[in-house]
Amino acid sequence: MVKNKGKKTAFMYIAYSLGACLFLGIPHIIKDPYFMHIIIISVINVCLALSLNLIMITGHVSLAHGAFLGIGAYTSTLLVTRLGIPFWCALPLAGLMAGLVSFLLGLVTLKLRGIYFALATFAFNEILRMIFIGWGNLFGGASGITDIPPPGPISIPGLVTIQFNTKFTYFYIAALFLMLTFFIITRLHRSRTGLIFKAIEEGELLTGCLGINTMKFKIFAFVISSFIAGSAGSIYAHYLHYICPEDFSFWESVNVLVFTVVGGVGTILGPILGSTLLTITPEFLRFTVEYQTLLYGLILILALLFMPQGIHGLLKTITNNIPFRGKTQENVTFEN
Amino acid sequence: MTTIVIQTLINGLILGSFYVLLAAGLSLIFSIMGVVNFAHGALLMLGAFCSYVFITKLGLNFFLCLLISVGVMVILGFIIQKIIFNPLKGNELNMMVISLGLAIVLENSAVIIWGPDDRVFPFFELGVLKISNVFLPIDRLLILLSAIVLIVGLYILIQKTKIGLAIRAVAQDLDAATLQGINSNTISPFSFGIGCGLAAAAGTLVSPLFLVSPYMGTLPMVKAFVVIVLGGLGSIIGAVIGGIILGLMESLVATFFGAVFQNAISFLILIIVLVLKPEGLFGEK
Amino acid sequence: MRFYKVAIIAIALTLVIFTGTNVKAETLKIGVISVLSGPGAVWGLGILRGAEMATDEVNDRGGLKVNGKTYKIELIAYDDKYTGKGGKSAGEKLVYRDKVKFIIGPISSASLLAFQEMTEKEKILVLSDSYTEKALSPQKPFTLRMFMTAVEATPLLVDWVLKEYPNAKKAVTIAPNDASGHAGVKVQESAYKKHGIELTSKEFYERGTKDFSPLVTRVQMLNPDVIAFANAPTSDCALMVKLFRQMGSQAVFTDNTSTDFRKMVEITGKKAAEGYIWGAFFDPADPKMKSYSESFKKRYNIEIPSYVDPAFYQAAKAFYYAIEKAQSLDPATVRDTIKYRIPEFESVMGKMLFGGKETYGIDNQAYSAYYASVIKDGKQVILKKLR
């Protein structure tokens, strides 16, 4: 592997670390519970958008993310409330459940492309929502499940006991999950697997002719993305302490899709920016309660008309046009 | 027992004709622009409100209102395609998301202007035909007839006129059509306009039966998607056959198994078709 | 002489100016959470309008006078979009940013259940109307339900209907397939069972359905004597009644929620609507109700669409009344004042009472009037006051 290390790499590491420290220090800077709430929701949305992005770079638009969020949320809730399994075990199990379901769904639907796949995932989402409502004994019916307990306290003997029933401590769970997700996603994007994902989008037939089992890779992308979404569902459930089927409807899937597209599909920064901005913006629009949704729709239209590459594309255009001292060096990885 | 079955079939046929109109427009838009138009339901609603305004404020005849609102929506569709979809040409994902934004804007504007409540659409007070225990409300029959007329008209337009030829050419291969001298800059918006006009007709025709409200378009649009998948994207015959099949299936399942399955059966059909024969009954692969 | 005249006028003016400005108005922020977009807005806007009208009445007469200070009320309304996440975000902003101590609404159960944990912890008084049974409990003393649900009201209607139609044997319920629909049917089922009638069928339909011909055909097959709508919106019921009558049904229609009877008559026609029974929550002939409807129509240009408007108008008025009676802005004190002194307060929905300990473990459920009404010749006729 030949790596052309530019001077930017060291700079980027420092930037990343600083950013991470700042990010982790948020609860100490922001004391307002409302802002913390918005931040935690944003963090969850970022994970959802990043994971949706993963399946989208293979060229498949999934409208089932809300369903996988729900599968994870309900699984985790039921494991914790009915079987007494601690949150820390329930979280990965929830992700696994979502991954399993997506595996089965993917086997059947990933041979479809474009709108067909989108419609199939949409139908799946709606059917799952109807199951959540209909199977009242298991899922609590249309009014959902209340009194979901937060994760149990962790005590470091002799030092401190950390309770997780406040936003400030729960933030760290969400933040940790985000960092994990970020790590997984960036590794995948930069790996050979990520290249294959993009190759599938550009020409599945050709990629197949190169001897690559495209179906295997597509299912892999789908399962990983659903695993992340399902785990996010667990985090969501134990934060809100209440879940109901309406939170996991097709509209939730659409929301995540919008985050990704407006942020910039195919990039890592894009979904992060898109989900953060689009989670915060409606909160600012609250003052015009009648026009809130209308303005959201208008912003969506304008964003797509003037930023077809998403926010990320816009930023790239701006930064590319700023004259740099010296040449910009790109990180290029070659495979043998 | 047979009367129930016949009644159910008739119900399904009438329901299906509504789906057919909606699906035909959606199919046309898809074959021309390759885009999933999530705003189709909102356009249906807009057409219905257009007719509603004309009939309540100007007291015009129903069919006149229908024609006017179709005309208005064709023009509006033309403009929408030019301003909103054309700049995103080639990027199907963006076009899909922007159609979503459009749907949100249209629906919420309607709520602001007309309020969220259902409104009654004034219509003739017609009776009910009773043929050996089967009930045929005349207003529903009238709607069915109008839908048939419109579909036949659409078929003639697409298959037998020069403009229809141009539309089919653009749908088949944009570059080849342009080389033949067809101006896709007018054909595309025009086709989108026709799609909107069909949606407006569908909305107007069902308003006397189903009331007018800003949210009236969402569920029918979803059903229309099922129909075009079932019938095959881009095929009008497919939209007709698919719509009729869906209407009949919904009616049969709901009547004999419970109304709660009326929507579930649509999703089931959608999944089955996608898994077994994604190109639908009449679509090209 | 002239000098004295000027002096007197000057002194008088000064006195007027100074006593006038002595009354400094502070602002009291009251939060409103409701579904203000999407199909639920048909009901949700009623909460906002009811609160607005009551608030404007108070502000027009100068404001709330508590402990020597006068407060102008400022309503801060947020949309919960009928979801849990929406309700939580709205609640968080109201409590932590806008620092409200009182919340009016919501109507969505998901919304209430999502933010209730926080409002109970922060001791915020919530005046809601969510249908879920989980809304009220001894562990949630700060949540009041300002209005009756099917559990409180419907059995009375069923009792009355079966007394009027003793020969009825077959009954079918029709309800939307969601939480409130299922809840309404559960209540109807047990009420009918008490009279020895087993429901022939319980039909559910998805909200948003507009073509009811399959459902109507299906129910007609069973030929019921009574068709009971449970928590279905009036326009849905009306479309179904129209079809039923077209198919020759002679059944008795009952509706356990408030019906917009004008809309029913408009959709089905006078003949088909004749004899439609529902439980009304207010008497339109009541003079207080009449003057309220007139001001409502003048302000909003539409007829009162549902019971939500007068219900929350009354709730908000009761709330302001309680604040002035208690001379306190402490949520716990105001809450207790509402609960225990409400019988003195009478408004458009008649007298209110708080109770519900047997069902919920705590007396946080409001009870008010309920009338058996029927449509005769296109108009509402009240036949019996059931409560």
Side-chain angles (χ1 to χ4, degrees):
Chain A
M1 235 169 56
V2 177
K3 254 205 173 108
N4 194 358
K5 277 209 174 84
K7 283 205 187 77
K8 275 180 106 186
T9 319
F11 173 74
M12 285 174 86
Y13 276 133
I14 296 176
Y16 277 137
S17 325
L18 264 164
C21 287
L22 206 72
F23 179 59
L24 287 171
I26 284 178
H28 296 287
I29 307 172
I30 296 178
K31 295 290 186 185
D32 187 319
Y34 166 66
F35 284 143
M36 284 308 299
H37 166 75
I38 300 297
I39 289 173
I40 293 179
I41 299 285
S42 302
V43 166
I44 296 178
N45 283 341
V46 168
C47 298
L48 289 175
L50 280 174
S51 59
L52 180 68
N53 199 28
L54 200 63
I55 185 67
M56 283 180 64
I57 56 176
T58 65
H60 287 79
V61 176
S62 165
L63 288 172
H65 240 56
F68 292 122
L69 184 71
I71 293 177
Y74 276 107
T75 309
S76 179
T77 304
L78 291 172
L79 286 175
V80 171
T81 54
R82 302 266 184 118
L83 296 179
I85 295 179
F87 166 78
W88 310 101
C89 301
L91 174 67
L93 285 173
L96 274 167
M97 183 59 134
L100 180 66
V101 175
S102 73
F103 176 73
L104 297 170
L105 181 69
L107 275 176
V108 169
T109 58
L110 277 169
K111 57 184 184 192
L112 305 165
R113 299 228 74 195
I115 173 181
Y116 296 110
F117 179 73
L119 281 175
T121 51
F122 159 73
F124 171 72
N125 199 337
E126 275 301 285
I127 291 181
L128 213 66
R129 184 182 67 87
M130 289 191 222
I131 294 178
F132 287 148
I133 294 180
W135 202 344
N137 291 331
L138 196 59
F139 297 120
S143 39
I145 305 181
T146 53
D147 299 321
I148 303 174
I154 299 180
S155 36
I156 304 169
L159 272 174
V160 68
T161 308
I162 312 174
Q163 300 275 4
F164 287 106
N165 49 5
T166 67
K167 296 191 184 63
F168 301 93
T169 43
Y170 202 89
F171 169 79
Y172 286 106
I173 298 183
L176 218 71
F177 180 67
L178 173 60
M179 286 162 73
L180 221 70
T181 306
F182 185 75
F183 180 70
I184 297 176
I185 300 279
T186 41
R187 286 312 299 261
L188 273 173
H189 267 245
R190 302 223 177 113
S191 70
R192 178 172 172 270
T193 317
L195 251 112
I196 293 180
F197 289 161
K198 292 176 194 148
I200 293 178
E201 188 204 6
E202 298 192 9
E204 184 161 357
L205 201 56
L206 188 58
T207 317
C209 289
L210 292 174
I212 294 174
N213 184 349
T214 56
M215 193 63 174
K216 198 172 80 177
F217 280 91
K218 286 197 289 192
I219 292 184
F220 181 62
F222 199 40
V223 169
I224 297 284
S225 94
S226 313
F227 175 80
I228 295 176
S231 309
S234 168
I235 297 203
Y236 174 83
H238 295 276
Y239 167 63
L240 226 67
H241 306 151
Y242 167 69
I243 52 177
C244 70
E246 283 312 311
D247 288 333
F248 311 118
S249 70
F250 154 73
W251 290 111
E252 184 63 36
S253 305
V254 167
N255 259 338
V256 182
L257 179 67
V258 170
F259 295 157
T260 316
V261 172
V262 171
V265 195
T267 64
I268 295 180
L269 200 57
I272 298 180
L273 290 171
S275 44
T276 321
L277 278 160
L278 287 178
T279 308
I280 298 180
T281 311
E283 295 295 321
F284 279 119
L285 294 176
R286 276 201 186 276
F287 61 95
T288 56
V289 73
E290 301 94 30
Y291 297 94
Q292 184 185 6
T293 328
L294 176 66
L295 284 174
Y296 183 80
L298 268 170
I299 290 175
L300 200 58
I301 293 181
L302 293 172
L304 282 162
L305 281 178
F306 296 107
M307 298 190 298
Q309 301 295 328
I311 299 175
H312 178 264
L314 183 73
L315 288 178
K316 212 159 181 195
T317 324
I318 295 177
T319 52
N320 276 346
N321 287 334
I322 298 175
F324 256 96
R325 265 185 293 121
K327 289 204 244 162
T328 47
Q329 289 181 323
E330 307 246 277
N331 271 343
V332 181
T333 49
F334 289 94
E335 297 253 13
N336 276 354
Chain B
M1 187 53 177
T2 32
T3 45
I4 305 281
V5 175
I6 297 179
Q7 180 80 64
T8 311
L9 290 174
I10 304 254
N11 289 342
L13 210 63
I14 297 178
L15 185 61
S17 64
F18 170 51
Y19 291 151
V20 167
L21 269 181
L22 206 55
L26 203 56
S27 198
L28 189 60
I29 292 176
F30 183 84
S31 55
I32 289 294
M33 296 186 341
V35 76
V36 179
N37 181 19
F38 276 128
H40 213 68
L43 292 163
L44 172 155
M45 177 269 294
L46 213 60
F49 266 105
C50 197
S51 309
Y52 176 78
V53 165
F54 281 127
I55 212 171
T56 50
K57 298 276 192 256
L58 297 176
L60 298 172
N61 171 280
F62 175 77
F63 291 102
L64 195 57
C65 286
L66 176 65
L67 285 169
I68 297 179
S69 108
V70 170
V72 167
M73 290 305 290
V74 169
I75 298 174
L76 189 67
F78 192 95
I79 298 174
I80 289 178
Q81 205 277 348
K82 275 251 181 247
I83 298 180
I84 294 187
F85 290 102
N86 212 24
L88 272 57
K89 197 158 43 172
N91 190 337
E92 289 158 12
L93 180 61
N94 278 10
M95 284 200 276
M96 180 169 78
V97 179
I98 214 176
S99 73
L100 212 61
L102 184 64
I104 295 177
V105 169
L106 289 176
E107 188 178 282
N108 282 283
S109 308
V111 175
I112 291 176
I113 300 176
W114 289 292
D117 300 303
D118 292 331
R119 284 163 183 268
V120 181
F121 195 96
F123 199 59
F124 320 108
E125 193 53 55
L126 301 162
V128 185
L129 273 179
K130 188 170 162 188
I131 304 179
S132 77
N133 272 338
V134 176
F135 296 91
L136 302 164
I138 299 184
D139 50 9
R140 290 187 167 235
L141 286 177
L142 207 59
I143 307 297
L144 176 63
L145 247 71
S146 315
I148 294 177
V149 167
L150 277 164
I151 285 292
V152 169
L154 179 72
Y155 185 77
I156 294 176
L157 175 73
I158 297 288
Q159 298 290 115
K160 307 278 183 203
T161 66
K162 237 172 142 184
I163 281 193
L165 188 61
I167 292 177
R168 278 184 289 137
V170 170
Q172 200 163 48
D173 190 328
L174 180 60
D175 296 317
T178 319
L179 282 171
Q180 298 273 358
I182 296 176
N183 185 0
S184 74
N185 279 334
T186 34
I187 291 294
S188 293
F190 182 64
S191 319
F192 190 83
I194 297 183
C196 293
L198 283 165
T204 309
L205 284 173
V206 294
S207 295
L209 297 175
F210 300 159
L211 310 175
V212 186
S213 100
Y215 312 108
M216 65 187 289
T218 319
L219 193 60
M221 175 179 68
V222 171
K223 303 283 175 73
F225 278 117
V226 178
V227 169
I228 57 178
V229 169
L230 176 59
L233 283 160
S235 159
I236 293 188
I237 304 265
V240 173
I241 305 283
I244 294 178
I245 293 182
L246 188 68
L248 288 171
M249 287 301 302
E250 275 196 14
S251 184
L252 284 164
V253 168
T255 309
F256 291 109
F257 294 101
V260 72
F261 299 110
Q262 195 167 338
N263 289 348
I265 187 69
S266 311
F267 293 122
L268 207 62
I269 290 179
L270 181 65
I271 291 218
I272 292 177
V273 172
L274 284 173
V275 170
L276 294 178
K277 195 172 194 285
E279 64 274 12
L281 297 168
F282 293 92
E284 310 94 27
K285 195 123 197 211
Chain C
M1 216 30 209
R2 224 167 158 197
F3 170 73
Y4 285 111
K5 267 196 192 158
V6 172
I8 291 175
I9 294 174
I11 295 174
L13 272 173
T14 322
L15 280 171
V16 167
I17 293 173
F18 270 89
T19 47
T21 53
N22 250 353
V23 187
K24 274 182 69 188
E26 280 192 30
T27 334
L28 176 67
K29 294 196 196 157
I30 307 279
V32 177
I33 298 183
S34 183
V35 46
L36 300 170
S37 62
V42 178
W43 312 85
L45 283 169
I47 298 184
L48 186 58
R49 287 191 292 247
E52 270 176 357
M53 280 188 75
T55 306
D56 287 348
E57 274 178 23
V58 171
N59 281 342
D60 286 344
R61 61 173 163 80
L64 277 180
K65 298 184 178 39
V66 182
N67 287 333
K69 289 217 241 160
T70 313
Y71 293 90
K72 278 259 184 229
I73 303 173
E74 181 189 339
L75 279 182
I76 304 183
Y78 292 146
D79 184 3
D80 65 13
K81 300 198 179 63
Y82 215 78
T83 62
K85 196 156 57 160
K88 173 114 183 163
S89 301
E92 295 274 327
K93 187 158 193 186
L94 279 176
V95 172
Y96 293 116
R97 287 302 292 170
D98 301 306
K99 312 250 191 279
V100 302
K101 288 267 170 218
F102 305 97
I103 294 180
I104 299 180
I107 204 165
S108 152
S109 305
S111 174
L112 175 69
L113 290 171
F115 71 71
Q116 204 174 24
E117 190 189 10
M118 180 268 299
T119 53
E120 289 295 325
K121 186 175 101 180
E122 300 288 346
K123 302 199 177 18
I124 310 286
L125 183 60
V126 175
L127 308 171
S128 81
D129 186 27
S130 313
Y131 252 58
T132 174
E133 321 159 324
K134 300 188 204 170
L136 305 179
S137 92
Q139 290 82 33
K140 301 176 185 172
F142 282 90
T143 309
L144 297 178
R145 184 149 54 205
M146 300 306 286
F147 205 65
M148 297 187 285
T149 66
V151 172
E152 284 79 40
T154 308
L156 300 168
L157 186 68
V158 174
D159 289 343
W160 181 84
V161 168
L162 289 176
K163 218 181 336 173
E164 291 288 305
Y165 296 94
N167 295 327
K169 288 195 193 37
K170 291 205 282 194
V172 167
T173 57
I174 301 180
N177 189 25
D178 61 13
S180 58
H182 281 267
V185 169
K186 209 163 74 166
V187 174
Q188 300 238 16
E189 192 178 21
S190 56
Y192 274 97
K193 207 177 263 192
K194 252 195 356 207
H195 289 264
I197 297 183
E198 191 80 40
L199 288 179
T200 316
S201 173
K202 297 181 280 197
E203 292 300 322
F204 294 97
Y205 68 91
E206 289 287 328
R207 272 200 199 262
T209 308
K210 287 291 182 220
D211 187 5
F212 292 105
S213 43
L215 183 133
V216 168
T217 311
R218 179 179 167 80
V219 173
Q220 264 303 90
M221 268 200 286
L222 306 165
N223 205 8
D225 305 306
V226 178
I227 296 178
F229 294 113
N231 296 5
T234 303
S235 33
D236 292 353
C237 299
L239 288 175
M240 285 188 257
V241 170
K242 183 169 176 193
L243 284 171
F244 274 117
R245 296 288 191 221
Q246 276 176 341
M247 292 187 81
S249 169
Q250 300 288 331
V252 175
F253 293 101
T254 74
D255 188 349
N256 71 334
T257 57
S258 88
T259 299
D260 183 354
F261 70 93
R262 269 179 229 97
K263 185 174 269 176
M264 168 76 60
V265 173
E266 204 185 348
I267 294 176
T268 63
K270 262 200 204 169
K271 213 169 117 200
E274 185 78 17
Y276 187 88
I277 298 173
W278 82 97
F281 294 112
F282 51 84
D283 182 356
D286 181 294
K288 286 205 196 73
M289 192 63 207
K290 267 206 169 116
S291 68
Y292 165 75
S293 329
E294 260 143 55
S295 357
F296 184 92
K297 224 189 340 207
K298 229 190 315 187
R299 178 170 178 160
Y300 297 109
N301 252 332
I302 47 173
E303 298 278 354
I304 299 176
S306 74
Y307 78 90
V308 181
D309 282 274
F312 273 89
Y313 172 70
Q314 168 134 346
K317 277 181 67 111
F319 165 59
Y320 294 136
Y321 173 83
I323 291 184
E324 294 209 306
K325 208 59 194 221
Q327 281 297 298
S328 154
L329 292 176
D330 167 48
T333 321
V334 177
R335 172 200 66 203
D336 293 334
T337 318
I338 296 181
K339 279 166 71 169
Y340 301 118
R341 308 201 52 183
I342 202 103
E344 319 162 357
F345 174 80
E346 199 177 328
S347 179
V348 295
M349 312 275 268
K351 283 193 191 285
M352 276 165 70
L353 250 194
F354 271 88
K357 201 165 203 163
E358 326 82 53
T359 328
Y360 305 109
I362 189 172
D363 283 332
N364 279 10
Q365 169 72 54
Y367 290 84
S368 60
Y370 195 51
Y371 304 94
S373 319
V374 75
I375 298 183
K376 270 200 181 22
D377 193 36
K379 297 205 211 344
Q380 174 182 13
V381 173
I382 296 209
L383 291 177
K384 179 137 194 242
K385 185 165 189 190
L386 298 173
R387 171 182 281 287

Short mmCIF file of all heavy atoms in Angstrom, two decimals, chain A residues 173-197:
data_model
loop_
_atom_site.label_atom_id
_atom_site.label_comp_id
_atom_site.label_asym_id
_atom_site.label_seq_id
_atom_site.Cartn_x
_atom_site.Cartn_y
_atom_site.Cartn_z
N ILE A 173 -23.18 8.40 26.66
CA ILE A 173 -23.53 7.14 25.99
C ILE A 173 -23.75 7.42 24.51
O ILE A 173 -23.21 6.72 23.64
CB ILE A 173 -24.79 6.52 26.60
CG1 ILE A 173 -24.56 6.18 28.07
CG2 ILE A 173 -25.22 5.29 25.82
CD1 ILE A 173 -25.72 5.51 28.73
N ALA A 174 -24.56 8.44 24.25
CA ALA A 174 -24.85 8.76 22.86
C ALA A 174 -23.57 9.16 22.13
O ALA A 174 -23.32 8.76 20.99
CB ALA A 174 -25.89 9.89 22.78
N ALA A 175 -22.75 9.96 22.80
CA ALA A 175 -21.52 10.43 22.16
C ALA A 175 -20.58 9.27 21.85
O ALA A 175 -19.99 9.20 20.77
CB ALA A 175 -20.83 11.45 23.07
N LEU A 176 -20.48 8.35 22.80
CA LEU A 176 -19.63 7.19 22.58
C LEU A 176 -20.11 6.40 21.39
O LEU A 176 -19.33 5.95 20.54
CB LEU A 176 -19.67 6.31 23.85
CG LEU A 176 -18.35 5.66 24.22
CD1 LEU A 176 -17.40 6.74 24.72
CD2 LEU A 176 -18.56 4.60 25.28
N PHE A 177 -21.41 6.23 21.32
CA PHE A 177 -21.99 5.48 20.21
C PHE A 177 -21.70 6.19 18.90
O PHE A 177 -21.38 5.57 17.89
CB PHE A 177 -23.50 5.35 20.44
CG PHE A 177 -24.20 4.59 19.35
CD1 PHE A 177 -23.95 3.24 19.17
CD2 PHE A 177 -25.10 5.21 18.52
CE1 PHE A 177 -24.58 2.53 18.16
CE2 PHE A 177 -25.75 4.51 17.52
CZ PHE A 177 -25.48 3.18 17.34
N LEU A 178 -21.80 7.52 18.93
CA LEU A 178 -21.53 8.28 17.72
C LEU A 178 -20.09 8.07 17.28
O LEU A 178 -19.81 7.86 16.09
CB LEU A 178 -21.81 9.76 17.95
CG LEU A 178 -21.41 10.69 16.81
CD1 LEU A 178 -22.15 10.32 15.54
CD2 LEU A 178 -21.70 12.14 17.17
N MET A 179 -19.19 8.13 18.24
CA MET A 179 -17.80 7.97 17.87
C MET A 179 -17.53 6.58 17.31
O MET A 179 -16.76 6.42 16.34
CB MET A 179 -16.92 8.27 19.09
CG MET A 179 -16.88 9.75 19.38
SD MET A 179 -16.31 10.18 21.02
CE MET A 179 -14.59 9.84 20.88
N LEU A 180 -18.17 5.59 17.89
CA LEU A 180 -18.04 4.23 17.38
C LEU A 180 -18.55 4.14 15.95
O LEU A 180 -17.91 3.57 15.06
CB LEU A 180 -18.85 3.28 18.28
CG LEU A 180 -18.19 1.95 18.60
CD1 LEU A 180 -17.02 2.19 19.52
CD2 LEU A 180 -19.19 1.01 19.23
N THR A 181 -19.73 4.71 15.76
CA THR A 181 -20.33 4.72 14.42
C THR A 181 -19.41 5.42 13.44
O THR A 181 -19.15 4.93 12.34
CB THR A 181 -21.69 5.44 14.45
OG1 THR A 181 -22.51 4.86 15.44
CG2 THR A 181 -22.36 5.38 13.11
N PHE A 182 -18.93 6.58 13.84
CA PHE A 182 -18.06 7.36 12.99
C PHE A 182 -16.84 6.54 12.60
O PHE A 182 -16.42 6.51 11.44
CB PHE A 182 -17.66 8.64 13.75
CG PHE A 182 -16.86 9.59 12.95
CD1 PHE A 182 -17.46 10.37 11.98
CD2 PHE A 182 -15.50 9.74 13.16
CE1 PHE A 182 -16.73 11.27 11.23
CE2 PHE A 182 -14.75 10.63 12.42
CZ PHE A 182 -15.37 11.40 11.45
N PHE A 183 -16.29 5.87 13.58
CA PHE A 183 -15.11 5.05 13.34
C PHE A 183 -15.42 3.96 12.31
O PHE A 183 -14.69 3.79 11.33
CB PHE A 183 -14.65 4.44 14.67
CG PHE A 183 -13.45 3.57 14.56
CD1 PHE A 183 -12.21 4.12 14.28
CD2 PHE A 183 -13.55 2.20 14.71
CE1 PHE A 183 -11.09 3.32 14.17
CE2 PHE A 183 -12.44 1.39 14.60
CZ PHE A 183 -11.20 1.94 14.33
N ILE A 184 -16.52 3.23 12.54
CA ILE A 184 -16.89 2.15 11.63
C ILE A 184 -17.11 2.69 10.22
O ILE A 184 -16.61 2.15 9.23
CB ILE A 184 -18.17 1.42 12.11
CG1 ILE A 184 -17.93 0.76 13.46
CG2 ILE A 184 -18.63 0.41 11.09
CD1 ILE A 184 -19.16 0.11 14.05
N ILE A 185 -17.85 3.76 10.14
CA ILE A 185 -18.20 4.30 8.82
C ILE A 185 -16.97 4.78 8.09
O ILE A 185 -16.78 4.50 6.90
CB ILE A 185 -19.23 5.44 8.95
CG1 ILE A 185 -20.51 4.97 9.62
CG2 ILE A 185 -19.51 6.07 7.61
CD1 ILE A 185 -21.46 4.26 8.72
N THR A 186 -16.10 5.52 8.77
CA THR A 186 -14.93 6.03 8.06
C THR A 186 -14.01 4.89 7.64
O THR A 186 -13.47 4.89 6.53
CB THR A 186 -14.12 7.03 8.92
OG1 THR A 186 -14.08 6.55 10.25
CG2 THR A 186 -14.78 8.38 8.91
N ARG A 187 -13.87 3.88 8.48
CA ARG A 187 -13.04 2.74 8.09
C ARG A 187 -13.61 2.08 6.85
O ARG A 187 -12.88 1.73 5.92
CB ARG A 187 -12.98 1.71 9.23
CG ARG A 187 -12.12 2.09 10.41
CD ARG A 187 -10.75 2.61 10.02
NE ARG A 187 -9.97 1.62 9.29
CZ ARG A 187 -9.03 0.85 9.82
NH1 ARG A 187 -8.76 0.95 11.10
NH2 ARG A 187 -8.37 0.01 9.07
N LEU A 188 -14.93 1.90 6.86
CA LEU A 188 -15.55 1.26 5.71
C LEU A 188 -15.38 2.08 4.44
O LEU A 188 -15.08 1.57 3.38
CB LEU A 188 -17.04 1.00 5.98
CG LEU A 188 -17.35 -0.31 6.69
CD1 LEU A 188 -18.82 -0.36 7.05
CD2 LEU A 188 -17.01 -1.48 5.80
N HIS A 189 -15.62 3.40 4.58
CA HIS A 189 -15.52 4.26 3.41
C HIS A 189 -14.15 4.19 2.77
O HIS A 189 -14.00 4.22 1.56
CB HIS A 189 -15.82 5.72 3.81
CG HIS A 189 -17.24 6.10 3.64
ND1 HIS A 189 -17.67 7.06 2.76
CD2 HIS A 189 -18.36 5.65 4.26
CE1 HIS A 189 -18.98 7.19 2.83
NE2 HIS A 189 -19.42 6.34 3.73
N ARG A 190 -13.13 4.13 3.62
CA ARG A 190 -11.77 4.21 3.09
C ARG A 190 -11.18 2.87 2.75
O ARG A 190 -10.09 2.77 2.24
CB ARG A 190 -10.87 4.90 4.13
CG ARG A 190 -11.39 6.26 4.48
CD ARG A 190 -10.30 7.29 4.56
NE ARG A 190 -10.90 8.58 4.83
CZ ARG A 190 -10.74 9.26 5.96
NH1 ARG A 190 -10.00 8.75 6.91
NH2 ARG A 190 -11.32 10.41 6.11
N SER A 191 -11.96 1.82 3.03
CA SER A 191 -11.38 0.51 2.80
C SER A 191 -11.72 0.02 1.40
O SER A 191 -12.45 0.66 0.66
CB SER A 191 -11.94 -0.48 3.83
OG SER A 191 -13.30 -0.70 3.51
N ARG A 192 -11.21 -1.14 1.10
CA ARG A 192 -11.50 -1.76 -0.18
C ARG A 192 -13.00 -2.01 -0.30
O ARG A 192 -13.59 -1.85 -1.36
CB ARG A 192 -10.73 -3.07 -0.27
CG ARG A 192 -10.98 -3.84 -1.55
CD ARG A 192 -10.04 -5.03 -1.62
NE ARG A 192 -10.38 -5.88 -2.74
CZ ARG A 192 -11.23 -6.90 -2.67
NH1 ARG A 192 -11.81 -7.19 -1.53
NH2 ARG A 192 -11.50 -7.62 -3.74
N THR A 193 -13.61 -2.38 0.83
CA THR A 193 -15.05 -2.63 0.83
C THR A 193 -15.81 -1.38 0.39
O THR A 193 -16.72 -1.45 -0.42
CB THR A 193 -15.53 -3.04 2.22
OG1 THR A 193 -14.61 -3.97 2.77
CG2 THR A 193 -16.90 -3.65 2.17
N GLY A 194 -15.37 -0.24 0.93
CA GLY A 194 -16.03 1.00 0.56
C GLY A 194 -15.91 1.29 -0.92
O GLY A 194 -16.85 1.75 -1.57
N LEU A 195 -14.74 0.99 -1.47
CA LEU A 195 -14.54 1.20 -2.90
C LEU A 195 -15.48 0.32 -3.70
O LEU A 195 -16.04 0.74 -4.72
CB LEU A 195 -13.10 0.86 -3.27
CG LEU A 195 -12.27 2.07 -3.61
CD1 LEU A 195 -11.23 2.27 -2.56
CD2 LEU A 195 -11.61 1.91 -4.96
N ILE A 196 -15.66 -0.89 -3.23
CA ILE A 196 -16.56 -1.80 -3.93
C ILE A 196 -17.99 -1.28 -3.86
O ILE A 196 -18.74 -1.35 -4.84
CB ILE A 196 -16.46 -3.23 -3.33
CG1 ILE A 196 -15.08 -3.79 -3.62
CG2 ILE A 196 -17.55 -4.12 -3.91
CD1 ILE A 196 -14.86 -5.17 -3.09
N PHE A 197 -18.37 -0.75 -2.71
CA PHE A 197 -19.71 -0.17 -2.59
C PHE A 197 -19.92 0.88 -3.69
O PHE A 197 -20.92 0.87 -4.40
CB PHE A 197 -19.91 0.51 -1.23
CG PHE A 197 -20.02 -0.44 -0.07
CD1 PHE A 197 -19.81 -0.01 1.22
CD2 PHE A 197 -20.36 -1.78 -0.26
CE1 PHE A 197 -19.92 -0.86 2.30
CE2 PHE A 197 -20.46 -2.65 0.81
CZ PHE A 197 -20.24 -2.19 2.10
#
